[in-house]
Amino acid sequence: MSRIYKKMINYTEEAVRRIMPGVLKEYLKSNPGTCTCSICQDDILALTLNELPPHYAASLAGEIFTEVSLDLIGGKAQIITVITRTIKQVSEKPRHK
Ligand SMILES: [Zn+2]
């Protein structure tokens, strides 16, 4: 049982983790003052994951995340939209000074 549990992954999280750096980079081009410290990045990730529906799947070891996985969770465009919104939210009210 515990062995199966360890291999359970949230595809939404996988997708967000992969897409976020690029979205952040794009966002910085038009908003150069945005903080990208690890605290803010963690907050962006958490807020984004709270907004997107999770999509858990039992994954075989070494299985590669594909574009197909993105479609399963609503598509890349939707994820980018949510990430962009949470970046704005976090940068306007960072948890640190
Ligand atoms: Zn920060």
Side-chain angles (χ1 to χ4, degrees), residues 25-41:
K25 206 174 155 193
E26 274 305 305
Y27 190 88
L28 278 167
K29 283 183 189 167
S30 43
N31 302 273
T34 308
C35 182
T36 57
C37 74
S38 59
I39 295 170
C40 288
Q41 286 202 41

Side-chain angles (χ1 to χ4, degrees), residues 23-85:
V23 180
L24 203 51
K25 206 174 155 193
E26 274 305 305
Y27 190 88
L28 278 167
K29 283 183 189 167
S30 43
N31 302 273
T34 308
C35 182
T36 57
C37 74
S38 59
I39 295 170
C40 288
Q41 286 202 41
D42 283 350
D43 282 347
I44 293 162
L45 182 64
L47 280 170
T48 303
L49 291 176
N50 282 341
E51 284 200 36
L52 291 166
H55 189 97
Y56 286 96
S59 174
L60 295 171
E63 189 182 326
I64 297 162
F65 183 86
T66 64
E67 290 294 320
V68 178
S69 315
L70 282 176
D71 291 338
L72 277 176
I73 52 181
K76 198 174 178 176
Q78 194 211 341
I79 298 166
I80 290 172
T81 303
V82 176
I83 295 173
T84 305
R85 191 164 65 228

